[in-house]
Amino acid sequence: MPIIYKINVLAELKAKGYTTTRIRQDKIMSESTLQKFRNNEMVSVDNISRLCEILDCQPGDIIEYVNEDK
């Protein structure tokens, strides 16, 4: 996949005080979205936007494009 995560999303959320239990209970993100983060799978732009809000960062701080030909 040409787009990868530059950070460990779940670790960064935990550092901001957002445990997976809190995320599910407060309905911030679904369990399937959390599972995608665990498996380094891509999520929707809406979820990236939510992450940017929580982590106070830009999308480029979370994901990057990597040319598969290299």
Side-chain angles (χ1 to χ4, degrees), residues 7-24:
I7 62 171
N8 180 326
V9 174
L10 296 177
E12 292 294 324
L13 286 168
K14 189 173 184 177
K16 289 279 188 172
Y18 289 87
T19 63
T20 56
T21 302
R22 177 181 175 194
I23 291 168
R24 284 192 309 271

Side-chain angles (χ1 to χ4, degrees), residues 45-63:
V45 174
D46 289 336
N47 284 312
I48 296 293
S49 176
R50 193 168 297 120
L51 273 178
C52 289
E53 182 180 345
I54 293 168
L55 300 177
D56 191 30
C57 64
Q58 295 295 312
D61 297 330
I62 299 171
I63 58 174

Side-chain angles (χ1 to χ4, degrees), residues 20-31 50:
T20 56
T21 302
R22 177 181 175 194
I23 291 168
R24 284 192 309 271
Q25 287 177 344
D26 293 350
K27 298 184 188 235
I28 296 168
M29 291 179 197
S30 68
E31 177 60 36
R50 193 168 297 120

Side-chain angles (χ1 to χ4, degrees), residues 2 6 8-9 11 34 42-43 60 65 68 70:
K6 294 166 68 173
N8 180 326
V9 174
L34 294 173
M42 278 295 102
V43 297
Y65 173 81
E68 289 182 330
K70 292 184 179 180

Side-chain angles (χ1 to χ4, degrees), residues 27-39:
K27 298 184 188 235
I28 296 168
M29 291 179 197
S30 68
E31 177 60 36
S32 63
T33 299
L34 294 173
Q35 192 62 36
K36 286 181 180 183
F37 288 135
R38 287 183 192 103
N39 295 329

